[in-house]
Amino acid sequence: MFFVTRIKHLPVSARGRAYAAIFALAALVAPLAADEVMPLIDVHVHYNEDAWSVISPGRAVELLRQAGLDRALVSSSGDTGTQRLHQLATELVVPVLRPYRGRGEQSRWMYDASVSDMLAQKIEAGNYAGIGEFHADGEQIDLPVIQHVIALARRHGMFLHAHVDVDAVERIFRADPQARVLWAHAGFEDPATIGVLMQKYPNLWADLSFREEIAFRGSLDNDWQRLFEAFPTRFMLGSDTYTPTRWFYLVEHADWARSWLADLPRAIAENIAFRNAERLLQRSR
């Protein structure tokens, strides 16, 4: 009330700026209203071949919409599943290109020289936001195939969705200091380690799939909250539908995310829920 009284005595031009500043501050610290449904972007969705006989493309799109997703970044082993969903819902499904032609290639794709040409051809013909999710660790990043993937991403302005360890993150940025890396599962690392890497690499983001320890019974963990507050523009949501059964938990997962996002200041919650992903996509497409 003191501030409102003082503002009333300001000139009209200054009064408008003062009210705008107060409203911006209120939006930053205010929690979400209890009945407010937060829009979400899920950056870690797969529609692999083993899901096709269990969940039709139409049903998959329906589940994404039931979860209240504005968009879903979808990559699949192989790319056919992604394209089926994208054709049904171009406004919802954002294609991301995996280097796998099918299941079982996670540990050997980086040794297959033909992967480089396959990815290059698909990127030229398609409209992909990123490359991944791909799996690799440590020295594997230095292999020619992965170095080519890093170069492809740089050439086409794409991000890398990388399921990798800390050493691999370091090696990616050593190969391309300007690379944009979406770190799958935040590397399954603890908040302190994640914070060190994010401080070192401004172009490192992380998805929060399979990190249920973030919130126990819907209440946000203190260490994770401090991490989100320290790096509010660097985290995104993900469900990781790597098996068919995971598709049936999409709505539940979205509800769980909204429950702990409500513990955060509105601006940070919106960043994690959808704004950070929007920024990544704006720089990729």
Side-chain angles (χ1 to χ4, degrees), residues 22-282:
I22 288 177
F23 294 149
L25 180 61
L28 180 65
V29 300
L32 292 168
D35 59 349
E36 190 172 350
V37 178
M38 174 75 77
L40 306 177
I41 295 179
D42 189 323
V43 301
H44 196 148
V45 178
H46 305 299
Y47 187 55
N48 298 320
E49 188 172 356
D50 57 356
W52 300 352
S53 62
V54 181
I55 304 153
S56 69
R59 177 57 176 156
V61 168
E62 182 182 346
L63 288 169
L64 294 172
R65 288 180 170 143
Q66 285 180 2
L69 301 182
D70 274 9
R71 268 162 291 176
L73 277 60
V74 181
S75 64
S76 306
S77 308
D79 189 48
T80 301
T82 297
Q83 296 306 322
R84 287 181 176 179
L85 298 191
H86 181 62
Q87 290 166 9
L88 281 180
T90 55
E91 83 292 348
L92 172 64
V93 174
V94 179
V96 178
L97 181 59
R98 247 186 155 172
Y100 311 154
R101 297 180 178 93
R103 285 284 199 181
E105 296 188 359
Q106 292 182 4
S107 61
R108 64 175 187 269
W109 71 274
M110 68 286 293
Y111 302 103
D112 183 352
S114 69
V115 167
S116 297
D117 288 340
M118 180 269 289
L119 291 175
Q121 290 170 9
K122 283 185 172 291
I123 289 169
E124 288 295 337
N127 185 25
Y128 302 94
I131 302 176
E133 173 205 19
F134 62 81
H135 297 68
D137 283 314
E139 294 180 354
Q140 291 177 330
I141 298 298
D142 299 332
L143 292 168
V145 171
I146 299 186
Q147 288 294 303
H148 185 257
V149 167
I150 295 170
L152 271 176
R154 178 173 61 247
R155 187 180 313 140
H156 294 277
M158 303 165 76
F159 66 85
L160 297 164
H161 193 185
H163 185 137
V164 298
D165 59 10
V166 170
D167 184 24
V169 170
E170 300 268 9
R171 290 172 185 270
I172 291 172
F173 284 111
R174 196 177 307 155
D176 180 9
Q178 302 306 313
R180 288 178 296 123
V181 179
L182 177 56
W183 199 10
H185 318 291
F188 290 113
E189 291 290 344
D190 60 90
T193 301
I194 297 166
V196 169
L197 267 289
M198 289 194 163
Q199 185 67 41
K200 187 174 182 179
Y201 300 112
N203 278 353
L204 177 65
W205 292 265
D207 84 49
L208 299 171
S209 57
F210 270 100
R211 301 308 302 262
E212 285 77 8
E213 74 274 20
I214 289 172
F216 180 68
R217 294 180 179 174
S219 181
L220 188 60
D221 175 82
N222 290 334
D223 289 339
W224 281 97
Q225 178 160 353
R226 284 190 289 269
L227 183 64
F228 296 152
E229 291 171 349
F231 301 97
T233 62
R234 309 286 283 282
F235 293 94
M236 306 175 201
L237 299 177
S239 56
D240 192 1
T241 54
Y242 77 103
T243 64
T245 55
R246 293 280 297 176
W247 276 91
F248 297 108
Y249 293 96
L250 272 176
V251 175
E252 180 181 326
H253 181 273
D255 290 343
W256 171 76
R258 290 185 178 98
S259 71
W260 60 260
L261 285 169
D263 289 342
L264 290 166
R266 179 187 297 266
I268 298 177
E270 289 184 351
N271 278 344
I272 296 171
F274 63 94
R275 294 198 189 281
N276 293 340
E278 285 179 339
R279 295 183 189 108
L280 183 67
L281 291 174
Q282 286 169 0

